[in-house]
Amino acid sequence: MRFVVVDDHDALSRSAADELAAVVAAKLSSSVLVATGNTPMGMYAELAERRRRGRFDASQLRAWQLDEYLGLAPGDRRSLYGWMRRSFVEPLGIPDGNVARLPGDSADPEAACAAFERAILAAGGIDVAILGLGPNGHLGFNEPPATTDSPTRIVDLTPESVASNGPYWGGADQVPRRALTVGMRVILNARLTLLVVSGAHKRDILARAVAGPISPDVPASLLRTVPNVVVVADRAAWGDLPMGSAPVDGR
Ligand code: PGA
């Protein structure tokens, strides 16, 4: 696990964009697992700006949706697919044929999850997983407790996740209680994982993820069982984690 600790959210967005851009420059057809949530939005805007200036080419990139609420009709304002399109797919000019939607409205969502995971494997796996950190330590909607071999599946959201997602949609009562998520076993096999973490409200859970016990109770701590994970955090999130416990890249 490598740590990039930077001054603020803008610097985090630039550093995270640098990490992704380096992979995509080496392999234009990279498969990217795309998180929504507030944290990576600045990173996506930074990548879109680089594209406008001709410095980032996403025309061959393949975007895979990380998670979705169960049972939402296509076009529902709460759809995470819609959020991924607005924030990542469209600003980066990714062709529709390169975008994989996790179909929360499928008649057989369990089968759809299995098919989605098979499609990722058939495409050669994930080159870069972009992940935020849930206040309960979740990755995607891999809620605690989570195991390293969990498949892409339907999950019940924890009260913490419902509460933390409420502000996006106008209150906790607007948040569906079940969701689809790409599983830990896909995430842990990504060739590079970027965990982006911003803000003082993430300080405690980040400390548990990178310096506490490796435990199913903190799904993000399972990232420490694999190589090629980069944690990009701002100082508000990093807090006073002892520098000795983690090498810090002071960009
Ligand atoms: P956030 O969400 O980026 O909006 O903090 C992260 C998460 O809950 O996974």
Side-chain angles (χ1 to χ4, degrees):
M1 188 173 267
R2 179 160 65 87
F3 299 91
V4 178
V5 180
V6 295
D7 281 344
D8 56 23
H9 187 81
D10 285 349
L12 172 143
S13 299
R14 288 192 298 274
S15 291
D18 288 346
E19 299 283 347
L20 180 73
V23 175
V24 175
K27 180 184 176 186
L28 290 178
S29 62
S30 289
S31 274
V32 178
L33 194 58
V34 182
T36 49
N38 284 332
T39 314
M41 291 303 125
M43 169 192 182
Y44 300 166
E46 171 71 20
L47 289 166
E49 178 58 27
R50 292 182 191 189
R51 171 179 177 252
R52 274 193 292 278
R53 295 200 307 260
R55 290 180 44 218
F56 180 65
D57 178 2
S59 62
Q60 296 176 47
L61 191 151
R62 302 166 78 166
W64 300 84
Q65 187 177 355
L66 173 64
D67 50 10
E68 181 59 282
Y69 298 116
L70 179 66
L72 296 188
D76 189 291
R77 67 184 176 85
R78 299 164 296 175
S79 156
L80 299 182
Y81 178 71
W83 196 355
M84 178 178 86
R85 284 202 69 89
R86 292 189 298 278
S87 64
F88 190 86
V89 171
E90 290 164 9
L92 296 185
I94 297 169
D96 283 348
N98 286 7
V99 181
R101 170 176 175 258
L102 197 48
D105 58 337
S106 166
D108 187 347
E110 290 283 2
C113 284
F116 195 83
E117 185 163 324
R118 281 197 304 275
I120 289 174
L121 294 177
I126 296 295
D127 292 295
V128 184
I130 305 167
L131 303 174
L133 176 63
N136 62 355
H138 74 199
L139 300 175
F141 279 133
N142 287 280
E143 301 281 59
T147 56
T148 54
D149 60 351
S150 61
T152 300
R153 67 200 183 285
I154 311 296
V155 295
D156 293 320
L157 298 183
T158 60
E160 293 97 321
S161 290
V162 172
S164 70
N165 285 312
Y168 304 146
W169 316 118
D173 60 325
Q174 299 292 312
V175 181
R177 273 16 187 198
R178 303 184 78 202
L180 297 71
T181 188
V182 168
M184 290 300 301
R185 69 184 180 194
V186 171
I187 289 172
L188 294 174
N189 275 303
R191 283 180 274 283
L192 173 68
T193 293
L194 298 177
L195 181 68
V196 288
V197 192
S198 178
H201 63 299
K202 295 290 176 70
R203 190 177 293 176
D204 292 344
I205 191 63
L206 178 59
R208 291 178 67 196
V210 304
I214 296 175
S215 161
D217 295 335
V218 182
S221 72
L222 302 176
L223 292 173
R224 285 152 58 203
T225 66
V226 296
N228 301 327
V229 176
V230 180
V231 178
V232 186
D234 58 23
R235 294 204 182 277
W238 187 258
D240 55 3
L241 267 176
M243 294 298 170
S245 75
V248 173
D249 176 337
R251 266 184 294 173

